[in-house]
Amino acid sequence: MSTDIPEGKETALKLADSDFATDRREHDVKSAVLDYWNRLKAGELGALPALIGLASLFVLFTFLKPDTFLSTGNIANLSTQALPITILAMGLVFVLLVGEIDLSAGVASGLCAALMAKLLVEGGQPWYVAVISAIAAGIIIGTAIGWLVAILRIPSFVVSLAFFLGLQGITLWLIGEGGTVPVRDEVIVALATRNMPIWLGWTLAVACAVGYTATQLLRWQRQHARHLHSKPIELVLIQCGVVAAVLLGATYVLSLDRAASPLIELAGIPWGVPLVGTLLIVCTFILGRTSFGRHIYAVGGNAEAARRAGINVVRIRISVFMIGSGLAAISGILAASRLNSVAVSAGAGNTLLYAVGAAVIGGTSLFGGRGKARDAVFGGLVIATIENGLGLLGTKAYLSFLITGVVLLLAASMDALARRRRSNVGR
Amino acid sequence: MAETGDPVLRITGLNKSFGAVHVLHNVDFTVRLGEVMALVGDNGAGKSTLIKCIAGIHPTDSGQIEFEGRPVTIDGPRAASELGIEVVYQDLALADNLDIVQNMFLGRERRKGLVLDEPSMEEAARETLARLSVRTVKSVRQQVASLSGGQRQTVAIAKAALWESKVVILDEPTAALGVAQTRQVLDLVRRLADTGHAVVLISHNMNDVFEVADRITALYLGRVAADVARTEVTHGQVVELITAGRSGDLGLAPQTAAESI
Ligand SMILES: Nc1ncnc2c1ncn2[C@@H]1O[C@H](COP(=O)(O)OP(=O)(O)OP(=O)(O)O)[C@@H](O)[C@H]1O
Ligand SMILES: [Mg+2]
């Protein structure tokens, strides 16, 4: 520190400086673990609750349904069950990040799927025209909601509640009372019901594992070389090892023959899984590595600070709703693929709550500013596991509703408590 | 090259009204490189209004602003920051959920193509903190939520110093701080001036003002009562300038001071 400290001020200076330890750039394993522990205590739970929840659910359902739950057929089923929830939740992560909510995302997914089905069946359009139209419809819906929220500043829950009703009306008008539109297009149906060739699954899994490890190591190397803040290499390696193990393990399980009869063969990763994987990579990149993503976090953390920093807050608010509804459309397409049809009730009922639940369980905060794209995957798996396990147990519908409601409430309370902790620790 | 003592920002004859309320009367205000200019005055004297005019938040009615000798018009916050005027607002404007580096570069991120250039931002943030002798927080990658009030203030000030800023304006930076943290911030303000910035410090605390300021401008009901070197005045005189607009031979002429009321 400076040497010319006026007399009598030395103690004060020392006091002040004690707040500021020296800047720690590189962690060893111990300090990194200690840091993580401190963050946990401060309410930065991240994906931990989702992972613990997922593990406990797996143990619970394996115990209750030893023959069926862990069967390869059910695991494959579980993975396709999670697809639409995960994609819908990924879109909601963007909306939740700026501290807004989109209650209409579920029915928007239903409407977009209905539009796609109509174009396929009655319009006789090729699948890509139908898919692009559905996604475009989603983006238009998102733009409208975003405009009302960002420019007129109507609370998003009111706007999206109105859309929740209105969009259902449009779906009803499109499909007709009590109707369903069958979806038979090969490509669309394949998404959730057909599997990749075994060799392709392995190739992709290995490529992803290698790609992930390479990017992580490269980043570490760059940070290390320039003496920047970095994780200890041991932890980076462990992290890469875990990701690779999960990728390869899942590929192995899904590559086992799961056909009920020995005469046919049914194996491979469902086509929808790499789709979700791609969306996960793209969204993670946008949120973590671009200034657009950074601005989304800033608007969610402190909109006034973002405004004074010259960020166009209105544009950010509108665009997250566009992304949210666009992803909702893709989610609707996957749901239609899974059911081979689109019903009037598509995306209504508990679809949205499942997706919000997934995002929150995965670690995205309802209060804005905190969350990651991967939260949707972890949370989506938790929700799909609950749905799947309760289905296997033959739980009555009323009980399923109750249990899912309690789980959602649990996740939300955890979020609220974590937030309280954070504000107690800060300042 | 601009040198210490050169006026970097010179305002002459500035008037500002909000509707019928005439808030600033013919204000002259000069800030020099390497100097801390304290801006003092009672509540409602017009201090915040003056700096908001400088920061491009309020349009002015009349008056000239010269920046580095050239007449300029500041028609928005962007124009101010492009000139090199940074304001640290009293309510700080930091995003809690972002870390220190992310906050310092908010809205002006460095990129390589599409991708954020994190290494270069982290290095630059660290350099700035080191230049200001901020013995940084545990890590520049720490979230702002986990910082104390003084540390936040430090980050906000460092953020202003990060940009090739020439004028840094601080609106009551120590108002909410304890003794030790006030110390920290005042040291930082001094260092900011010593590293060649022109600093405007708004404060109600005379001890703070007398400790770090080189010059003092007192506003009295929207008029400049005095623009004096700190060494030429006593606490008591400044307090009189603030409360009555005059003190001995200093300050507004008696009838101007009376008229203002
Ligand atoms: N946006 C505005 N519209 C109308 N009047 C305003 C506006 N902003 C400030 N004023 C008036 O201008 C006068 C000066 O206010 P200003 O905020 O500049 O005072 P200040 O010196 O910063 O006071 P304080 O020490 O309390 O912060 C006050 O009488 C205030 O009511
Ligand atoms: Mg003020």
Side-chain angles (χ1 to χ4, degrees):
Chain A
M1 284 299 307
S2 58
T3 43
D4 48 4
I5 303 161
E7 277 197 328
K9 296 212 173 111
E10 258 161 302
T11 38
L13 245 166
K14 281 212 195 86
L15 252 177
D17 267 354
S18 64
D19 283 6
F20 293 82
T22 27
D23 182 21
R24 201 148 26 77
R25 297 168 182 212
E26 203 145 336
H27 288 290
D28 52 23
V29 176
K30 202 174 137 216
S31 77
V33 169
L34 199 72
D35 242 35
Y36 181 68
W37 176 243
N38 283 335
R39 281 210 307 277
L40 278 188
K41 277 200 302 193
E44 301 281 335
L45 297 176
L48 195 65
L51 293 178
I52 292 176
L54 197 58
S56 352
L57 285 170
F58 263 67
V59 171
L60 178 71
F61 288 128
T62 310
F63 177 71
L64 292 175
K65 277 276 167 191
D67 315 323
T68 41
F69 182 71
L70 276 186
S71 69
T72 48
N74 191 51
I75 294 296
N77 197 14
L78 180 65
S79 72
T80 53
Q81 221 166 345
L83 296 175
I85 304 174
T86 300
I87 300 176
L88 194 58
M90 213 176 282
L92 281 165
V93 166
F94 282 83
V95 178
L96 291 172
L97 271 179
V98 301
E100 306 283 353
I101 183 82
D102 182 359
L103 298 174
S104 72
V107 294
S109 81
L111 172 58
C112 295
L115 183 71
M116 173 197 73
K118 288 289 257 194
L119 283 174
L120 285 174
V121 176
E122 282 162 35
Q125 299 290 334
W127 67 270
Y128 47 87
V129 172
V131 166
I132 291 173
S133 312
I135 296 174
I139 293 175
I140 292 170
I141 295 170
T143 313
I145 299 174
W147 193 86
L148 291 166
V149 172
I151 297 190
L152 298 190
R153 294 306 280 139
I154 310 174
S156 56
F157 88 93
V158 177
V159 175
S160 60
L161 201 55
F163 271 73
F164 174 77
L165 292 175
L167 296 181
Q168 274 178 318
I170 300 179
T171 309
L172 196 59
W173 169 72
L174 262 182
I175 300 187
E177 204 100 24
T180 35
V181 188
V183 176
R184 298 217 180 76
D185 182 88
E186 267 304 308
V187 177
I188 304 290
V189 168
L191 272 180
T193 57
R194 305 264 190 285
N195 306 309
M196 292 198 283
I198 307 280
W199 65 267
L200 184 57
W202 279 110
T203 315
L204 266 183
V206 171
C208 284
V210 171
Y212 180 79
T213 310
T215 37
Q216 292 296 317
L217 287 182
L218 259 174
R219 180 179 332 155
W220 182 84
Q221 201 270 334
R222 210 178 311 130
Q223 291 171 333
H224 185 71
R226 293 172 73 167
H227 300 291
L228 300 174
H229 184 83
S230 63
K231 275 193 236 174
I233 183 72
E234 294 89 340
L235 285 193
V236 175
L237 288 174
I238 292 175
Q239 195 181 328
C240 293
V242 170
V243 169
V246 169
L247 278 171
L248 299 179
T251 310
Y252 172 75
V253 172
L254 290 172
S255 298
L256 294 174
D257 186 8
R258 51 178 178 266
S261 111
L263 297 175
I264 49 168
E265 200 186 322
L266 179 63
I269 301 172
W271 279 105
V273 173
L275 173 68
V276 169
T278 311
L279 290 176
L280 174 65
I281 293 170
V282 171
C283 292
T284 304
F285 176 81
I286 291 176
L287 287 176
R289 304 256 153 263
T290 67
S291 38
F292 174 64
R294 178 71 36 89
H295 296 171
I296 292 179
Y297 284 98
V299 171
N302 185 343
E304 179 57 22
R307 197 181 65 78
R308 289 192 202 159
I311 294 170
N312 188 337
V313 177
V314 168
R315 193 182 69 105
I316 297 283
R317 284 214 179 96
I318 296 180
S319 53
V320 294
F321 281 100
M322 289 165 71
I323 294 172
S325 302
L327 284 173
I330 300 180
S331 152
I333 295 169
L334 268 162
S337 162
R338 212 174 140 241
L339 302 172
N340 290 335
S341 67
V342 180
V344 169
S345 61
N350 47 18
T351 313
L352 176 86
L353 282 181
Y354 275 178
V356 174
V360 175
I361 290 169
T364 296
S365 173
L366 288 166
F367 304 100
R370 277 159 217 276
K372 294 198 161 110
R374 63 156 202 232
D375 297 350
V377 177
F378 294 146
L381 280 172
V382 169
I383 295 280
T385 306
I386 294 173
E387 202 187 7
N388 177 287
L390 292 180
L392 289 181
L393 290 171
T395 315
K396 296 243 167 43
Y398 80 91
L399 210 55
S400 291
F401 275 119
L402 266 174
I403 292 173
T404 321
V406 168
V407 170
L408 178 57
L409 212 51
L410 219 62
S413 351
M414 206 134 70
D415 178 28
L417 287 176
R419 179 181 138 100
R420 270 229 326 242
R421 268 215 96 101
R422 281 196 300 268
S423 51
N424 286 347
V425 168
R427 255 158 280 197
Chain B
M1 195 52 218
E3 277 180 38
T4 299
D6 285 359
V8 54
L9 179 72
R10 187 201 296 274
I11 290 162
T12 37
L14 189 129
N15 281 284
K16 172 71 190 165
S17 305
F18 292 107
V21 194
H22 200 163
V23 176
L24 295 175
H25 300 259
N26 290 321
V27 168
D28 297 338
F29 187 58
T30 305
V31 202
R32 295 176 183 81
L33 285 178
E35 253 186 27
V36 177
M37 168 63 93
L39 182 58
V40 298
D42 241 338
N43 295 121
K47 306 180 296 292
S48 297
T49 306
L50 176 58
I51 66 146
K52 281 177 184 159
C53 289
I54 299 171
I57 292 173
H58 293 324
T60 57
D61 300 340
S62 66
Q64 266 131 35
I65 303 181
E66 270 175 49
F67 195 82
E68 296 183 317
R70 290 172 291 115
V72 291
T73 41
I74 300 177
D75 51 11
R78 281 253 159 239
S81 59
E82 269 159 29
L83 286 175
I85 301 174
E86 293 286 326
V87 183
V88 178
Y89 295 95
Q90 192 166 357
D91 48 348
L92 293 188
L94 297 173
D96 264 0
N97 57 335
L98 299 181
D99 66 33
I100 294 175
V101 180
Q102 293 171 342
N103 263 294
M104 286 175 71
F105 278 91
L106 193 59
R108 296 184 264 193
E109 292 84 3
R110 287 188 190 163
R111 281 179 302 182
K112 268 191 185 150
L114 251 186
V115 188
L116 292 171
D117 188 358
E118 298 284 358
S120 110
M121 289 195 276
E122 189 176 323
E123 274 171 357
R126 225 181 228 123
E127 243 162 57
T128 307
L129 291 166
R131 179 158 57 84
L132 299 172
S133 313
V134 173
R135 301 258 305 258
T136 35
V137 230
K138 263 201 223 91
S139 154
V140 290
R141 287 299 184 184
Q142 195 176 350
Q143 279 196 355
V144 165
S146 64
L147 299 181
S148 70
Q151 290 174 320
R152 283 156 177 268
Q153 193 62 255
T154 307
V155 172
I157 296 172
K159 178 182 179 180
L162 171 71
W163 307 98
E164 310 257 297
S165 51
K166 302 198 175 94
V167 180
V168 178
I169 302 174
L170 305 140
D171 198 351
E172 305 199 28
T174 58
L177 301 184
V179 180
Q181 301 199 325
T182 299
R183 187 70 272 117
Q184 240 168 31
V185 168
L186 290 182
D187 284 339
L188 192 53
V189 167
R190 196 55 249 177
R191 251 175 262 136
L192 217 48
D194 294 345
T195 48
H197 298 84
V199 183
V200 179
L201 172 74
I202 298 184
S203 180
H204 286 289
N205 185 324
M206 282 312 118
N207 291 328
D208 293 1
V209 167
F210 271 83
E211 192 182 324
V212 293
D214 298 300
R215 293 190 71 83
I216 299 170
T217 296
L219 276 184
Y220 177 71
L221 299 173
R223 289 171 209 272
V224 175
D227 173 0
V228 289
R230 177 204 53 190
T231 46
E232 293 168 4
V233 284
T234 62
H235 274 229
Q237 282 178 300
V238 175
V239 171
E240 277 183 49
L241 284 170
I242 291 172
T243 50
R246 52 177 291 103
S247 167
D249 351 323
L250 277 175
L252 301 165
Q255 86 258 32
T256 326
E259 254 172 36
S260 310
I261 303 175

